[in-house]
Amino acid sequence: MDNVQNYYNNNAISWSSDIGLYPLEELLINSFFPKAPAKILDIGCGSGRTTHELAKRGYSVVGIDISSNLLKIGRHRAVTESYGMMDAVLLGFPASSFDVVMFSFNGIDCIFPRKARLKVYDEIQRVAKPKGIFYYTSHNVVGQLTRYFRSVAWASFFNFLKSQIGNRHIINGYWEYGSAENKQTLFARGLYYEITQINNMNWKLLAVFGAQKFKSGEYSCLLNYQCPSGHESGVELRRNTSIGDIFLNCAHIHYIGNVNQNGL
């Protein structure tokens, strides 16, 4: 956790430059979240990009992060939301506290090792209310490699693979992202793994969306799951996309659904 904490503390300015929701986030919040003033826990909130926007919409929001520098920026922007320093592996809230638990912008992939990452699912289950909403996003490394390949970004393609030399954590699904100066070890096992994990938790998956770039307005909607209209949010959707298509072509995946109503 110390490496992650140091990375975000040292890069707080660059990681706090974006404000507001990204197009697909807005679509999924409008389509699946309960009405305000529902209680939302925003894990890995950073400087409050999503936390602040949800509070402006009337939600009762708590944002947590492990970066004191990012939280300081979030508190400066705050309207009604509250912020606290907390590890996602051990959430300091009573059971059944929140209507929604979210972990946006692939933040769950920063949790290391995989045993700790799995503990986050248990904590989400514990603090969410029965039939509460979960929403998180995660890297998909195969889609990342395909993105480099199709854009003929050969230098990026080979540099990404080269950076894995000596990465002994890759066997557990952790890949090295970023430059040598700003390297992150991130979980990126991908679509099949995440759907299996969600099923193992007995959660009900409502929708799965894939994207080549996280901030883009173009997304693919997985076949056999819900796919709301994206026009109002400026989202262009490819509907009824196969699981293989998303696995091969999307570097970032969004998952949203209901936690197990019977608890662990």
Side-chain angles (χ1 to χ4, degrees):
M1 187 183 79
D2 288 343
N3 290 338
V4 175
Q5 193 173 41
N6 291 335
Y7 172 86
Y8 285 101
N9 276 334
N10 293 335
N11 295 278
I13 299 300
S14 60
W15 277 99
S16 60
S17 59
D18 282 4
I19 58 173
L21 300 172
Y22 299 139
L24 186 58
E25 291 173 335
E26 185 170 2
L27 173 63
L28 296 181
I29 287 166
N30 290 340
S31 302
F32 294 102
F33 279 25
K35 301 296 183 184
K39 295 185 66 176
I40 298 177
L41 175 62
D42 190 1
I43 306 175
C45 66
S47 62
R49 178 183 63 82
T50 49
T51 320
H52 183 64
E53 187 62 34
L54 290 165
K56 285 167 57 179
R57 295 177 179 217
Y59 287 104
S60 174
V61 194
V62 178
I64 64 167
D65 204 278
I66 60 170
S67 168
S68 58
N69 289 349
L70 284 172
L71 288 170
K72 188 182 300 182
I73 296 170
R75 291 187 181 108
H76 180 73
R77 295 173 175 174
V79 180
T80 60
E81 71 270 30
S82 61
Y83 294 92
M85 183 177 289
M86 195 178 299
D87 189 346
V89 176
L90 187 61
L91 298 175
F93 302 103
S96 303
S97 293
F98 297 96
D99 300 291
V100 178
V101 181
M102 62 184 291
F103 209 144
S104 64
F105 207 60
N106 302 335
I108 195 170
D109 294 339
C110 295
I111 307 297
F112 181 87
R114 187 158 63 98
K115 182 179 180 180
R117 190 177 187 274
L118 292 172
K119 184 69 166 60
V120 173
Y121 292 92
D122 293 338
E123 284 294 273
I124 291 173
Q125 170 72 63
R126 184 182 65 80
V127 302
K129 293 180 180 179
K131 296 186 179 181
I133 292 289
F134 71 87
Y135 172 36
Y136 73 96
T137 64
S138 182
H139 290 88
N140 179 43
V141 72
V142 173
Q144 179 74 35
L145 291 169
T146 302
R147 174 179 153 191
Y148 289 146
F149 187 83
R150 289 191 170 176
S151 61
V152 199
W154 299 115
S156 297
F157 180 84
F158 288 111
N159 284 338
F160 184 74
L161 292 179
K162 184 179 178 181
S163 68
Q164 309 312 318
I165 296 174
N167 175 16
R168 59 190 176 88
H169 303 296
I170 200 169
I171 193 171
N172 290 316
Y174 286 89
W175 292 70
E176 301 287 355
Y177 279 75
S179 63
E181 298 77 20
N182 282 303
K183 186 176 291 186
Q184 288 183 283
T185 302
L186 301 172
F187 190 83
R189 185 161 284 183
L191 181 62
Y192 289 96
Y193 174 88
E194 295 300 332
I195 290 179
T196 299
Q197 179 58 32
I198 289 168
N199 288 335
N200 288 342
M201 292 296 298
N202 290 319
W203 293 355
K204 181 180 180 181
L205 193 57
L206 298 176
V208 179
F209 290 83
Q212 283 200 355
K213 295 183 179 181
F214 197 99
K215 302 177 187 180
S216 73
E218 300 179 4
Y219 299 91
S220 299
C221 178
L222 183 59
L223 179 70
N224 296 329
Y225 292 97
Q226 296 183 38
C227 189
S229 172
H231 297 301
E232 294 181 2
S233 300
V235 174
E236 296 180 20
L237 293 175
R238 292 177 58 216
R239 296 176 178 275
N240 299 323
T241 310
S242 71
I243 188 170
D245 190 344
I246 291 181
F247 177 70
L248 289 173
N249 295 298
C250 297
H252 307 277
I253 315 291
H254 296 242
Y255 307 89
I256 191 165
N258 298 113
V259 299
N260 176 14
Q261 63 178 334
N262 297 319
L264 290 172

